Amino acid sequence: MTVTDGVIYACLFTIVLITFSLQSSIRRLEKKMKRMDLSLSLLLNRMELEVPSQLSDRVKQIALDPYRKLEAIKLYREETGIGLREAKEAIEEFIERNLL
């Protein structure tokens, strides 16, 4: 093994360590965000406040048709520029609230 091979392996090892550290930090932040979201939801429910929907009327109309859920997600993403996960969660939450 040459000196450059050793340097390359050391760099790769460092990158792997940093990656694992970042993943761990991200998981902790995600858990913390979920707890905060739950706390906020509980507070809003306790105070009997409702957060107004950010969905446009067009998205709502499409989302109520179970066969057009993907179309509603796609349209909501186009309108707001948010990510797929957030759009999916917003549409599914709207559907759950309106099917009960």
Side-chain angles (χ1 to χ4, degrees):
M1 181 162 74
T2 65
V3 173
T4 54
D5 288 341
V7 171
I8 291 172
Y9 288 130
C11 289
L12 288 174
F13 182 72
T14 303
I15 290 170
V16 168
L17 284 177
I18 291 170
T19 301
F20 281 123
S21 175
L22 288 173
Q23 287 176 341
S24 175
S25 296
I26 289 170
R27 279 193 296 273
R28 279 195 313 271
L29 288 172
E30 286 174 339
K31 286 180 184 179
K32 191 173 187 175
M33 285 177 55
K34 285 181 183 179
R35 284 192 309 266
M36 290 173 65
D37 188 42
L38 177 61
S39 297
L40 180 59
S41 294
L42 290 171
L43 282 170
L44 289 172
N45 286 338
R46 177 78 177 202
M47 297 174 68
E48 297 179 2
L49 297 174
E50 186 175 322
V51 178
S53 175
Q54 298 177 6
L55 303 178
S56 69
D57 291 337
R58 186 170 168 220
V59 171
K60 290 177 185 178
Q61 182 181 9
I62 293 171
L64 290 175
D65 181 350
Y67 297 105
R68 298 176 73 191
K69 177 179 164 184
L70 292 177
E71 184 182 345
I73 293 170
K74 190 183 282 188
L75 178 60
Y76 185 56
R77 288 188 70 204
E78 288 174 10
E79 289 181 356
T80 62
I82 65 172
L84 178 60
R85 180 186 298 178
E86 293 87 0
K88 181 180 179 285
E89 289 172 357
I91 297 298
E92 288 176 345
E93 183 180 319
F94 172 77
I95 291 170
E96 275 183 35
R97 277 187 280 134
N98 287 284
L99 291 180
L100 297 177

